[in-house]
Amino acid sequence: PLGEFPLPDPPSSRLINEGYKTLREIGALDRHKKMTDVGRSLARLPLDPRLGRMLLEAEHEHCLPELLVIVAGLSIMDPRERPADYATQADQAHAQWKHEDSDFLSMLTLWRATLEFKERNTLRRNQLRKWCSKNYINFLRMVEWHNLVQDLGAALQETMRWRIPA
């Protein structure tokens, strides 16, 4: 148990109990605090367990590619920038990706726009950097987002082969 592990600044028992409660709610632990098959799958993903659980469920809902992009986007700092001196211009630039129904779908729209731009401008990283700047997007965060999608996709491929469906 976590309480027996010597930490320099151990968390309070309340926080530990909240952690156990969350892990139980997402199916990672059973009522005896033993790890389940879902828990073993989540342990293989380099993510907050709640986000990982979303990905495992997305497989059953047939929306894994879309949710993979959204979860990766939630795991990094928002790539959209809104400098105080250019807030209006940034809002106008970002409006092209705004989805009326959902901020998550707005993220997916931005992702798809980036992929389309990259496909039209193959092997021209500098053009993507300029496009990001023009649209008030942080280029390095976009690169981080793309890398994380690839890394999580690879981790999921291994996890899905190993995992017993819940």
Side-chain angles (χ1 to χ4, degrees):
L2 184 58
E4 297 172 12
F5 191 79
L7 296 171
D9 190 16
S12 71
S13 60
R14 181 184 60 79
L15 292 176
I16 292 172
N17 288 333
E18 285 179 25
Y20 278 125
K21 181 181 175 195
T22 297
L23 293 172
R24 174 98 170 91
E25 287 172 354
I26 64 174
L29 297 176
D30 66 17
R31 62 184 170 172
H32 305 292
K33 297 183 182 176
K34 300 289 183 205
M35 193 179 296
T36 64
D37 291 332
V38 168
R40 281 186 278 286
S41 294
L42 292 173
R44 299 180 75 138
L45 298 175
L47 278 175
D48 176 292
R50 292 169 290 208
L51 294 175
R53 185 63 173 115
M54 290 168 59
L55 290 176
L56 296 181
E57 191 60 32
E59 177 192 24
H60 298 291
E61 297 296 325
H62 308 291
C63 60
L64 185 56
E66 293 84 2
L67 204 58
L68 176 60
V69 169
I70 292 168
V71 164
L74 292 171
S75 300
I76 63 164
M77 284 184 60
D78 190 339
R80 295 169 295 182
E81 295 182 325
R82 194 171 186 266
D85 294 344
Y86 299 97
T88 302
Q89 294 92 325
D91 290 345
Q92 289 170 347
H94 297 163
Q96 63 188 308
W97 305 300
K98 178 120 175 89
H99 193 282
E100 297 276 328
D101 297 328
S102 165
D103 289 341
F104 296 138
L105 293 175
S106 294
M107 290 172 69
L108 198 53
T109 303
L110 170 58
W111 174 265
R112 289 176 176 157
T114 305
L115 290 181
E116 288 171 15
F117 183 85
K118 284 175 71 174
E119 286 175 12
R120 287 192 314 268
N121 297 282
T122 313
L123 302 176
R124 297 196 180 114
R125 189 172 172 107
N126 197 38
Q127 287 183 333
L128 179 60
R129 187 182 302 272
K130 288 178 184 175
W131 180 84
C132 285
S133 178
K134 176 184 157 202
N135 288 290
Y136 296 91
I137 302 295
N138 183 294
F139 173 75
L140 294 177
R141 286 189 210 136
M142 283 304 296
V143 170
E144 180 184 13
W145 191 7
H146 282 262
N147 290 341
L148 186 54
V149 166
Q150 289 178 344
D151 293 347
L152 288 175
L156 278 170
Q157 282 183 339
E158 184 167 324
T159 298
M160 296 302 182
R161 269 186 267 138
W162 171 82
R163 183 174 83 79
I164 298 170

